[in-house]
Amino acid sequence: MTKLLLSLHVLASILAVGPVTVAASMFPRYAKPPAPDGEGPHDHDLRTAAFLHKICRAYAMVGIAVPVLGLATGAQMGVLGDAWLLASIVLTTIAATLLMAMVLPGQRELLEEEEEEEEEEEEGEGSGGTGAGAGVLTVAERRSAAARLAMTTGIFNLLWATVVVLMIVRPGSTTGA
């Protein structure tokens, strides 16, 4: 039973968390508006950003299986009280919170800002593409938001990388791994 649970836990990690880390990392590049002197974002870039956001949302929901299977595996192995597992649980909780509270909402905000600006330009209310209308962020503010999102996503990815290392190295383990 332990081998089955561990296999499912590892597979869920690869198939659920992997796509989120990749898609979330790619998102800011496609959602970031161009420099003020550059051309506007291409529709293809915005469609790609929207698709990457959809991947993040969907796989985040599937990713719930990772800690559930991890806890079941830890219980089966009798290591729920081990420091490496407790640290992994804390880091996983922080990563999940970061994803749900900052990464996904940040992605959604950047996409909504882009949609609002496009609507204003279509209605003739745009101010030359600067996005300076009421409630719409300027290009510089959106670029800054994309940079913050990229940094937050990097932290999210580092947390997961640390958890993976803890799962492999298991400090204090008596298995010799």
Side-chain angles (χ1 to χ4, degrees):
M1 182 58 126
T2 301
K3 290 179 181 180
L4 174 65
L5 285 172
L6 183 57
S7 297
L8 291 173
H9 174 60
V10 171
L11 281 171
S13 298
I14 292 168
L15 298 175
V17 177
V20 173
T21 59
V22 172
S25 295
M26 293 173 62
F27 179 90
R29 174 179 178 249
Y30 290 98
K32 180 173 68 173
D37 57 349
E39 295 179 18
H42 301 284
D43 287 339
H44 170 75
D45 289 348
L46 297 176
R47 285 193 308 266
T48 300
F51 180 66
L52 292 169
H53 176 62
K54 187 181 256 188
I55 289 171
C56 289
R57 279 194 343 250
Y59 281 90
M61 300 312 286
V62 175
I64 293 169
V66 175
V68 170
L69 289 166
L71 288 172
T73 303
Q76 184 72 27
M77 293 172 65
V79 295
L80 284 179
D82 288 8
W84 64 270
L85 186 60
L86 294 174
S88 295
I89 291 169
V90 168
L91 294 175
T92 298
T93 302
I94 294 169
T97 302
L98 200 59
L99 178 65
M100 301 308 283
M102 297 183 76
V103 174
L104 293 176
Q107 290 177 348
R108 187 173 43 251
E109 180 181 320
L110 280 171
L111 289 173
E112 288 172 357
E113 286 291 334
E114 200 58 52
E115 289 172 4
E116 286 178 20
E117 183 176 308
E118 286 176 7
E119 287 174 6
E120 283 185 5
E121 287 176 1
E122 286 175 7
E123 295 172 2
E125 296 174 9
S127 55
T130 63
V136 178
L137 299 175
T138 66
V139 170
E141 290 170 333
R142 286 199 336 263
R143 287 181 64 80
S144 178
R148 280 191 309 277
L149 181 60
M151 179 192 68
T152 303
T153 300
I155 293 168
F156 169 78
N157 291 342
L158 283 173
L159 288 167
W160 278 116
T162 304
V163 170
V164 168
V165 170
L166 285 171
M167 293 288 123
I168 294 168
V169 174
R170 301 185 315 171
S173 171
T174 58
T175 62

